[in-house]
Amino acid sequence: MHSFLDALGFTAEELARVRGILRSPNGLLLATGPTGSGKTTTLYTLLDSINTKERNIITVEDPVEYQLPGITQVQVNHAIGYTFEKILRSFLRQDPNVMLVGEIRDAETADIALKAAVTGHLVLSSLHTNDAAGAIHRLLSMGLPAYLVAAAARLACHGIGYVGRRPIYEILTVMSHMMRAAIVSDASPEELKALAIREGMVPMRRKALQYVAEGVTSIEEALVVMFV
């Protein structure tokens, strides 16, 4: 039986990785990419795939873009001091199973999200970075301790989408001892990407060329991905 998750454009191996992470009781899953790349659509689809009566799911968004039945969704209102940080701290007292933070924009939001991810919550969020490996360094550049990033992160998923075209994903999982050790030792984005490829990640450039060879997309569109 197919779900909306199947329609996102993941390969069978990528889908297995993502589903494995979504079954985790805790951890941080990030969707990264430029504006219009499909981060929000990806996150909502992932969230909907695990939306069951047994799970207490809450979201903090600015704004709420899709209404999902059975989920508590709250919109940020800076005018009255209803910020990501304040809502997240309030929500944590309710001990939800899953939390979606619309976007990690600052160190305080990132800190709360990561700490929630290591204390029994599955946290989904988005981040603006050039690639999946860059998401790790973006978190570190916010001043977050490397050990916390290594402990909390489970997957960083980078995508560039086109209307009417197949999206291209780059799946970086933070599950192995080597990957966590690399993060703690302040490895560069290039080193993290090389390690991720050795551990099975297919980079977007390679996948773009594969789609060109299969006739799925054009070389012109593929070049956009290759030079992100």
Side-chain angles (χ1 to χ4, degrees):
M1 179 174 165
H2 289 281
S3 66
F4 289 118
L5 193 58
D6 297 297
L8 277 181
F10 290 119
T11 65
E13 183 180 350
E14 289 170 345
L15 191 57
R17 285 191 179 199
V18 171
R19 283 190 164 134
I21 298 300
L22 290 174
R23 286 194 293 268
S24 301
N26 64 291
L28 176 67
L29 189 155
L30 288 173
T32 71
T35 301
S37 63
K39 296 188 298 296
T40 301
T41 299
T42 298
L43 286 175
Y44 272 102
T45 304
L46 295 176
L47 199 64
D48 189 57
S49 74
I50 57 173
N51 183 13
T52 63
K53 293 180 180 179
E54 293 75 29
R55 285 191 176 95
N56 178 13
I57 301 176
I58 59 175
T59 77
V60 186
E61 305 169 67
D62 186 19
V64 173
E65 298 191 46
Y66 300 98
Q67 295 288 342
L68 295 176
I71 292 178
T72 301
Q73 296 176 264
V74 176
Q75 183 163 314
V76 169
N77 188 336
H78 295 282
I80 60 173
Y82 216 42
T83 63
F84 275 109
E85 299 81 20
K86 185 169 290 186
I87 297 171
L88 282 172
R89 292 186 191 282
S90 174
F91 273 172
L92 283 173
R93 290 193 289 270
Q94 300 175 36
D95 197 27
N97 303 115
V98 182
M99 299 170 60
L100 182 144
V101 182
E103 182 182 347
I104 292 179
R105 300 178 180 175
D106 53 57
E108 188 171 4
T109 302
D111 183 66
I112 298 171
L114 263 67
K115 287 178 178 175
V118 297
T119 56
H121 308 85
L122 181 62
V123 181
L124 285 69
S125 191
S126 68
L127 198 62
H128 284 274
T129 62
N130 288 331
D131 59 16
I136 301 296
H137 270 255
R138 176 70 186 281
L139 293 173
L140 295 175
S141 70
M142 290 180 176
L144 298 168
Y147 72 85
L148 183 59
V149 175
R154 290 290 180 272
L155 184 148
C157 170
H158 182 73
I160 291 186
Y162 302 97
V163 176
R165 307 288 180 91
R166 179 177 296 186
I168 295 177
Y169 290 98
E170 181 177 79
I171 306 293
L172 188 154
T173 53
V174 186
M175 298 295 285
S176 72
H177 172 74
M178 288 184 65
M179 181 62 75
R180 287 175 177 160
I183 293 171
V184 172
S185 63
D186 197 27
S188 69
E190 293 75 19
E191 290 170 327
L192 291 176
K193 187 168 187 174
L195 176 57
I197 291 172
R198 291 199 298 272
E199 293 186 347
M201 182 182 83
V202 178
M204 283 190 299
R205 295 184 182 189
R206 186 188 305 169
K207 191 175 297 182
L209 290 175
Q210 176 186 332
Y211 285 164
V212 171
E214 294 173 355
V216 173
T217 191
S218 66
I219 187 64
E220 290 79 15
E221 296 286 10
L223 287 173
V224 174
V225 176
M226 292 169 68
F227 289 100
V228 166

